[in-house]
Amino acid sequence: MGPLIRYAAVDAVEQDGFDVVEAANADEALVLLQDGSADAVFTDINMPGSIDGLGLVSLIRARFPDARVIVTSGHVQLGHFDLPSGASFLPKPYTFDALIKMLKVPRRLQSA
């Protein structure tokens, strides 16, 4: 997710009342997630750092099983069985309303 798209997504989600902490890459995200206080993580599959977004998702599921995870990509289409349990896919291009709607869906109703 490019910086401009990330900044716009952060603005939209914050305007809807969410507290947001952003990371430029997976390594930075893992540092920010260490305290376990994140309720949700929104990541692109294609991202800089030592691991990509799917690697980040696997680590989040293992370390923070209660965190909601939403993955996006404009290059890859993922199906129900391509992501770990508790992770959802939002294909690009997406609307910020669609992202916010996914953040608000109760975890028990999210697709795998």
Side-chain angles (χ1 to χ4, degrees), residues 28-99:
E28 192 176 305
L30 288 171
V31 170
L32 294 170
L33 290 167
Q34 284 181 354
D35 69 2
S37 65
D39 292 325
V41 175
F42 178 49
T43 186
D44 198 309
I45 291 174
N46 184 21
M47 61 188 304
S50 63
I51 59 173
D52 66 7
L54 290 178
L56 177 62
V57 170
S58 293
L59 290 172
I60 290 169
R61 292 277 42 93
R63 296 180 188 175
F64 314 102
D66 292 334
R68 175 173 306 167
V69 180
I70 301 170
V71 180
T72 192
S73 179
H75 304 287
V76 177
Q77 289 293 323
L78 298 178
H80 181 74
F81 297 104
D82 295 322
L83 290 169
S85 178
S88 301
F89 183 68
L90 180 62
K92 287 182 181 179
Y94 59 84
T95 65
F96 297 132
D97 287 340
L99 171 58

Side-chain angles (χ1 to χ4, degrees), residues 17-33:
F18 291 91
D19 294 326
V20 177
V21 176
E22 60 183 300
N25 57 53
D27 303 307
E28 192 176 305
L30 288 171
V31 170
L32 294 170
L33 290 167

